[in-house]
Amino acid sequence: MARMTEEEAWALDDEVTRNPPNAAGKPGGFFTDRRDRMVILDQFSAGYIKSAAESEHKTPTEIIGELIREKIAGPSA
């Protein structure tokens, strides 16, 4: 791996100082994104999802996704 010369390091420092990263576009990072997706379930719902996931050999996320797609699709004809 090539190393920067001192001159290149100072030039990079000047560039970053003049143009700081703009974090205003999307606040937060990995953990903030995960927190926004967190949903609290009641015991019955959590138990149902866990049971369905175990019996169908799927993840809870897959079970929830299927339930949502079924709900969006509406009653089957």
Side-chain angles (χ1 to χ4, degrees):
M1 180 169 132
R3 297 189 58 114
M4 275 193 260
T5 64
E6 191 162 328
E7 183 179 295
E8 290 170 327
W10 281 110
L12 179 60
D13 179 64
D14 289 340
E15 178 67 24
V16 173
T17 301
R18 280 185 270 115
N19 302 306
N22 181 5
K26 183 178 180 195
F30 177 80
F31 294 109
T32 303
D33 184 45
R34 296 290 184 230
R35 184 195 68 214
D36 291 343
R37 292 188 211 172
M38 186 173 70
V39 177
I40 306 300
L41 300 174
D42 58 68
Q43 279 301 116
F44 179 78
S45 300
Y48 173 83
I49 292 169
K50 184 177 177 183
S51 174
E54 288 174 359
S55 68
E56 297 179 29
H57 304 288
K58 296 180 179 180
T59 65
T61 303
E62 290 172 317
I63 298 298
I64 293 169
E66 289 173 2
L67 291 170
I68 291 171
R69 283 187 278 288
E70 287 173 15
K71 182 71 173 177
I72 291 171
S76 39

